[in-house]
Amino acid sequence: MRNVFIISTLLKLLLIPAYRSTDFEVHRNWLAITHSLPISQWYLEKSSEWTLDYPPFFAWFEKLLSCFASQVDPDMLRVDNLEYASRETILFQRVSVIASELILYWALMRYVKYFGNKWIVVGGSLLMHPGIMIIDHIHFQYNGLLYGILLMSIIEAKRNNLLLSGILFAILLNFKHIYLYMAPAYFVYLLKAYCFKDSGFSFQRLIVLGGFVIAIFLVSFGPFIYLEQIPALLGRLFPFTRGLCHAYWAPNFWALYAGADRALIVVGKRLGWRLNEEAMSSMTRGYVGDTQFAVLPTVEAIHTLIITVISQLIVLQKLWRKPTFNNFLSSLILCAFASYLFGWHVHEKAIMIVLIPYGLMAADSKLNLRAFVILSAAGIFSLYPLLFHPAGKYSK
């Protein structure tokens, strides 16, 4: 496992001069915001279009990184220094991503330690997963850190340390709210497996679990409650003004729906149907704007929520009846997959939230391994639009 880590690190170092997406400027701007501005301005500052839109724990993580960044190149921490990318800035940000993935390596080492050497292959495949290479070390994000926290939570659940598992997941939610995809599985599993005992429901355990979760959220959101900025913060975290489909369609149900609408336009023109002219010219707005369809009915955020919840309930009822770890891990993956397939404005990068925990099941059976390989291949292919293209400097 250690050799795999060394090889993966060397590969990531070779990618330091690679192509960078807009997310490189996003995180540079967040470094500048959290370092140069008071906390009261973090979720209000908008001189750049790449405003801070992650939960507070990630903002504090950027604040921590900025303390080291100031020693490397202070100019990268100027809020008005938009699209700044000196050699020192590039090196610092790239290396900071590699360093943050030590959490992922530690989590995988713990998994191998507690659950046997057969997981070494699985750990290696996750540590060097091409999806992580593309998203974090070419496109540029800090997902390896978050995957590490997620795996730590799953490990503690497998070790039956359910309270610690719930605490780690609450921390993860305050780093990146996309993990709400998995929250229903955690809620059902912790409620049934931790709060119910042989003698019945334990109100004391519910209070302890709920107390820790509430305390974590208060630490995270407390300063902004005091500053009366919760509406602004939530507006950043949940921008429902964005369209149904991301600029690069995630290969989910709504991509098929949108593709069907495109096909029906051809049919409609030949049959003389009355079509939505605006939708015909531009259906995917990507960053901001409603997605409109020329033929098929318009889909609202509430519709995607209802379909997603119904899909998740089908899975969760089994977890409620039989709250074993294996059922929990399966439910975790399927809840994330349901959100990916039917959610609102899903990014193509979100497939990794499904693949990372699924990698832990790949060694269980040939069926799981085969499904993991197929899903990984499809997921990696869907990430190709993030790679360099000659049309411009950045990928959207």
Side-chain angles (χ1 to χ4, degrees):
M1 189 69 176
R2 188 174 293 108
N3 291 337
V4 173
F5 171 73
I6 293 172
I7 294 171
S8 68
T9 301
L10 291 175
L11 287 174
K12 293 164 187 175
L13 290 172
L14 290 175
L15 291 172
I16 286 177
Y19 154 80
R20 308 182 307 277
S21 75
T22 50
D23 278 345
F24 183 88
E25 168 61 15
V26 167
H27 288 281
R28 187 216 60 80
N29 187 52
W30 293 0
L31 284 173
I33 289 172
T34 54
H35 182 82
S36 304
L37 299 178
I39 188 174
S40 60
Q41 295 299 311
W42 287 3
Y43 289 95
L44 300 178
E45 203 285 329
K46 54 182 180 180
S47 57
S48 167
E49 63 179 314
W50 313 119
T51 53
L52 180 58
D53 58 8
Y54 275 23
F57 278 3
F58 198 92
W60 286 109
F61 170 69
E62 294 278 5
K63 174 74 172 179
L64 175 63
L65 289 180
S66 73
C67 296
F68 299 98
S70 63
Q71 305 301 314
V72 177
D73 185 354
D75 285 341
M76 79 171 81
L77 301 177
R78 287 171 44 200
V79 175
D80 61 347
N81 210 0
L82 302 181
E83 298 194 12
Y84 182 75
S86 68
R87 181 181 304 175
E88 293 79 9
T89 300
I90 294 170
L91 181 62
F92 173 79
Q93 290 195 235
R94 290 291 196 191
V95 172
S96 68
V97 174
I98 296 172
S100 69
E101 286 189 353
L102 287 171
I103 299 297
L104 175 59
Y105 171 67
W106 184 41
L108 291 171
M109 285 294 292
R110 282 174 59 81
Y111 206 91
V112 171
K113 174 184 176 181
Y114 289 116
F115 308 115
N117 290 331
K118 71 174 184 177
W119 299 104
I120 292 178
V121 176
V122 176
S125 68
L126 293 179
L127 196 62
M128 297 184 65
H129 197 286
I132 296 179
M133 293 288 188
I134 292 173
I135 295 174
D136 281 6
H137 302 282
I138 299 178
H139 182 75
F140 192 87
Q141 286 188 353
Y142 288 89
N143 290 290
L145 164 70
L146 307 178
Y147 300 149
I149 299 173
L150 173 63
L151 291 181
M152 291 295 292
S153 176
I154 293 173
I155 290 167
E156 295 308 323
K158 188 171 177 65
R159 297 181 65 208
N160 204 35
N161 294 331
L162 299 184
L163 178 60
L164 181 54
S165 176
I167 290 172
L168 287 169
F169 184 69
I171 292 171
L172 179 62
L173 285 177
N174 283 278
F175 269 93
K176 193 169 184 178
H177 52 300
I178 195 173
Y179 289 92
L180 282 169
Y181 286 2
M182 297 176 163
Y186 268 95
F187 176 79
V188 170
Y189 184 59
L190 292 177
L191 182 62
K192 191 63 183 291
Y194 181 75
C195 296
F196 279 85
K197 299 188 297 184
D198 294 337
S199 57
F201 180 73
S202 173
F203 189 72
Q204 180 180 359
R205 287 195 169 198
L206 178 64
I207 293 297
V208 171
L209 177 61
F212 273 108
V213 172
I214 292 172
I216 290 167
F217 275 84
L218 283 178
V219 170
S220 178
F221 286 84
F224 304 98
I225 294 174
Y226 176 77
L227 294 169
E228 300 182 346
Q229 291 183 358
I230 291 300
L233 194 159
L234 294 180
R236 291 282 181 87
L237 299 184
F238 302 101
F240 287 112
T241 54
R242 298 183 182 183
L244 172 66
C245 297
H246 183 48
Y248 291 127
W249 297 358
N252 61 6
F253 178 81
W254 304 118
L256 296 175
Y257 189 86
D261 188 76
R262 298 288 92 181
L264 289 172
I265 289 175
V266 178
V267 176
K269 286 181 177 179
R270 292 183 178 180
L271 298 179
W273 296 351
R274 180 176 294 179
L275 304 174
N276 185 324
E277 295 294 334
E278 183 180 357
M280 289 172 61
S281 61
S282 177
M283 183 183 62
T284 301
R285 306 283 184 86
Y287 184 63
V288 175
D290 295 328
T291 301
Q292 299 185 26
F293 297 97
V295 180
L296 296 176
T298 299
V299 178
E300 305 291 346
I302 187 62
H303 301 147
T304 66
L305 177 62
I306 291 171
I307 296 172
T308 301
V309 169
I310 292 174
S311 302
Q312 292 179 338
L313 287 175
I314 297 172
V315 176
L316 294 174
Q317 55 84 24
K318 180 179 180 180
L319 179 61
W320 178 261
R321 288 187 286 107
K322 192 176 181 181
T324 64
F325 173 78
N326 287 337
N327 283 344
F328 165 64
L329 185 56
S330 298
S331 299
L332 203 65
I333 295 165
L334 291 172
C335 281
F337 203 22
S339 299
Y340 179 81
L341 290 175
F342 303 114
W344 177 266
H345 195 77
V346 176
H347 289 224
E348 66 288 329
K349 299 182 286 292
I351 189 61
M352 294 303 298
I353 299 178
V354 180
L355 292 176
I356 294 300
Y358 200 5
L360 301 180
M361 296 180 60
D364 284 349
S365 67
K366 290 183 178 179
L367 178 62
N368 282 334
L369 178 59
R370 187 181 302 114
F372 175 70
V373 171
I374 294 172
L375 189 59
S376 283
I380 293 166
F381 183 78
S382 72
L383 298 176
Y384 282 177
L386 300 178
L387 299 176
F388 173 80
H389 55 88
K393 180 180 178 182
Y394 291 126
S395 166
K396 297 295 186 184

